[in-house]
Amino acid sequence: MFRKTLVILHHNTRSYYKAPVKINSNAEKKLEHLPIHRFVGKSRKRYKQIHVCGLTVTGALGLPDIVVPDGLKPPVIHQPYPHKIILDGISSFDCGYGFSMFCGNQSGSNVWACGINTDSQIGFHKYQDEKHEKMPNNQYYNYVMKPLPLPLPLKGKSSKVLDVSCGRAHSVILTDEAIFTVGNNAFGQCGRRIIDGEIYEGSQKINRIPHEHFGSKVAKVFCGMDHTMFLTKEGKVFTCGWGADGQTGLGQFECTEIPTEVKSDLEGVKITQLSTFSDTSLALSDEHEVYGWGNSEYDQLGCVTESTQLTYPKKLPFKLPSKVVQVAAGGTAFLLLDGNGDVYVWGHGILGKGPNLESTSWPTKIPPTLFGRNEFNLDVKVVSITCGLGHFAAVTNKGELFTWGKNRNGCLGIGTHSDQYFPWKVLIGAEVQKVSCGVDHMIVMSKTFL
């Protein structure tokens, strides 16, 4: 009965929707004479949009109207569903520890940020009274509730911002002119000299690191909790900052002020990708080999060391059915994505394979059926993976988003506050393109269907 109904509907109208039924040649000829109904204009173009979820009161979601609403509405502390924010022209973004940073690819200082700013990790933002009363120059925001622009000391008008990355209390901004760092530098994570007793609250300091320092242009920047990694176009890795767990990979436990090249097992190897969020770092080479270093308290690097810290990069002897194409490092657990679109997880925590698996030193495959692959959708595969402190996200080639892990303040975006032990689909209503996970919030970029 259902099949017949679909055929009858197709005899009555033509549309762009392809129903899952077979229509014979005679029926197709009849359909050609039916009118076409256009639901959008010819000039209509798909556009990008930003959604956020998680803890609101830090300002990281950039939603002041629901944190301090007008009228009788109660404030919203947690946003467990994706909420759209108005921010146009965004090309990249990142979640820090309670704050967010966005950038556009147009010429000029196109950086916006919101959230916790107690260490000036999103720049100096002077207090502006709504009544336009004169305020002292030393008044500034420690919490920025909506995205505000962060002016950069760019020398050229045509300079472009390429990427941003956020740590616990510092941020790094990559431009085609130089690399800029803001925020806490107590461990040298901003790539400048450590000053004892330096006050970071209300600081207007923006550190500039020239590309020449690295021998070639920096292609990507990555922030851990209190350390920073730089990946050059030649595939070399430089690090600076906190090294007490070996996360800088420089063979020592001391802090490093100046970005220094990481060698050891990486020497002579071209690195194509880096990942870090807390105190463990991962690298992927052009030959699809995985390297790791840093904290191993939860046996994250147990396949190559019995120590709780590994101070230098070491090749991880993972053997997967297909080559590794992406790595993602979280707080105590990590993800791998292979060429077949399958996801592997290892480490400690909620790993995505149910409540019975809490710890493993070797990558274990998450069933692809949990991401929508089945006998009717054999072509579904994961194309990107992301880790936060305790939660994870995966995007499929169908533009669908799946999340799992610790659901702090509703950061998984699935409408509940319960932890999620298996990947669960997030309802966005658009084609998801990019995701960033923080401690207790998440940012999603998608593209509309129409």
Side-chain angles (χ1 to χ4, degrees):
M1 178 64 69
F2 179 63
R3 182 184 179 90
K4 292 181 179 179
T5 302
L6 285 177
V7 174
I8 290 172
L9 287 174
H10 266 268
H11 278 306
N12 290 330
T13 183
R14 287 178 66 195
S15 70
Y16 293 115
Y17 173 70
K18 296 181 180 179
V21 295
K22 294 183 179 180
I23 302 175
N24 58 44
S25 58
N26 293 331
E28 289 180 352
K29 290 180 180 179
K30 293 180 180 180
L31 289 176
E32 291 178 357
H33 301 289
L34 292 176
I36 295 176
H37 300 284
R38 185 180 294 277
F39 298 99
V40 295
K42 292 183 178 180
S43 60
R44 174 77 172 187
K45 293 183 179 180
R46 300 172 63 191
Y47 61 90
K48 293 181 180 180
Q49 54 187 8
I50 302 292
H51 286 83
V52 293
C53 56
L55 185 63
T56 67
V57 293
T58 60
L61 303 191
L63 298 171
D65 293 337
I66 68 173
V67 178
V68 187
D70 295 331
L72 300 178
K73 291 183 179 180
V76 176
I77 307 300
H78 317 284
Q79 180 61 42
Y81 294 99
H83 192 295
K84 185 178 179 180
I85 62 173
I86 306 301
L87 203 57
D88 297 328
I90 300 302
S91 60
S92 184
F93 51 85
D94 197 29
C95 294
Y97 285 51
F99 64 99
S100 305
M101 188 167 286
F102 310 84
C103 72
N105 55 10
Q106 303 89 350
S107 299
S109 181
N110 292 292
V111 179
W112 298 266
C114 55
I116 298 174
N117 198 35
T118 52
D119 287 84
S120 302
Q121 55 264 58
I122 57 176
F124 178 82
H125 295 283
K126 186 178 179 181
Y127 182 80
Q128 297 177 352
D129 187 71
E130 293 182 356
K131 298 179 180 179
H132 303 289
E133 297 178 357
K134 291 183 177 180
M135 301 296 295
N137 290 329
N138 61 349
Q139 293 293 317
Y140 48 83
Y141 288 113
N142 277 337
Y143 292 84
V144 178
M145 304 309 294
K146 64 179 181 181
L148 294 180
L150 171 58
L152 297 176
L154 295 171
K155 295 180 179 179
K157 293 183 179 181
S158 61
S159 297
K160 292 183 178 181
V161 178
L162 305 176
D163 194 21
V164 294
S165 187
C166 304
R168 181 178 65 165
H170 77 292
S171 301
V172 181
I173 304 158
L174 173 65
T175 74
D176 56 4
E177 181 180 300
I179 301 95
F180 298 92
T181 60
V182 294
N184 193 299
N185 189 56
F187 311 110
Q189 61 265 50
C190 285
R192 61 182 178 88
R193 185 172 64 88
I194 299 173
I195 302 175
D196 293 336
E198 181 176 0
I199 298 175
Y200 303 104
E201 183 181 5
S203 172
Q204 300 186 43
K205 176 70 175 179
I206 299 180
N207 185 47
R208 178 189 179 96
I209 307 175
H211 284 280
E212 290 74 16
H213 173 81
F214 305 93
S216 66
K217 287 276 188 177
V218 173
K220 291 283 289 184
V221 289
F222 306 84
C223 289
M225 182 180 291
D226 293 308
H227 73 288
T228 305
M229 302 196 296
F230 309 82
L231 177 63
T232 71
K233 290 186 176 181
E234 293 182 352
K236 294 183 178 181
V237 179
F238 290 75
T239 63
C240 61
W242 180 251
D245 283 310
Q247 55 267 59
T248 55
L250 300 174
Q252 61 183 18
F253 295 107
E254 289 77 20
C255 297
T256 303
E257 301 175 337
I258 305 301
T260 304
E261 184 178 355
V262 179
K263 294 185 178 180
S264 187
D265 279 13
L266 297 189
E267 192 165 8
V269 176
K270 184 177 181 179
I271 299 300
T272 58
Q273 187 202 342
L274 295 171
S275 183
T276 185
F277 189 87
S278 182
D279 293 324
T280 309
S281 304
L282 295 178
L284 181 66
S285 74
D286 60 346
E287 296 183 352
H288 307 283
E289 302 287 354
V290 181
Y291 299 80
W293 64 94
N295 185 285
S296 188
E297 291 182 56
Y298 296 94
D299 221 23
Q300 304 100 303
L301 304 174
C303 61
V304 292
T305 182
E306 296 181 357
S307 174
T308 55
Q309 290 96 16
L310 183 62
T311 62
Y312 56 90
K314 199 161 186 178
K315 182 179 174 180
L316 306 184
F318 298 153
K319 301 297 182 182
L320 304 184
S322 181
K323 61 184 180 182
V324 179
V325 297
Q326 190 181 354
V327 295
T332 59
F334 312 94
L335 298 178
L336 294 179
L337 178 64
D338 74 2
N340 294 327
D342 293 324
V343 179
Y344 294 78
V345 62
W346 85 98
H348 178 81
I350 301 178
L351 303 181
K353 297 193 68 174
N356 295 327
L357 180 63
E358 295 183 349
S359 184
T360 175
S361 300
W362 294 87
T364 177
K365 183 178 177 179
I366 298 178
T369 52
L370 297 177
F371 299 107
R373 188 188 303 173
N374 52 52
E375 58 182 324
F376 302 104
N377 296 284
L378 295 174
D379 61 336
V380 172
K381 61 181 181 179
V382 174
V383 293
S384 69
I385 50 176
T386 308
C387 293
L389 186 65
H391 66 289
F392 312 86
V395 180
T396 71
N397 58 337
K398 303 296 183 180
E400 295 179 330
L401 170 63
F402 293 83
T403 60
W404 69 97
K406 294 292 292 183
N407 195 15
R408 294 182 179 92
N409 302 292
C411 63
L412 294 181
I414 57 177
T416 72
H417 292 86
S418 302
D419 295 340
Q420 181 60 39
Y421 289 89
F422 299 97
W424 193 265
K425 184 177 176 180
V426 180
L427 301 179
I428 294 289
E431 181 187 352
V432 176
Q433 295 186 323
K434 185 177 180 180
V435 183
S436 179
C437 299
V439 175
D440 46 25
H441 76 292
M442 180 172 68
I443 305 174
V444 182
M445 175 186 284
S446 62
K447 199 170 186 179
T448 58
F449 291 121
L450 297 174

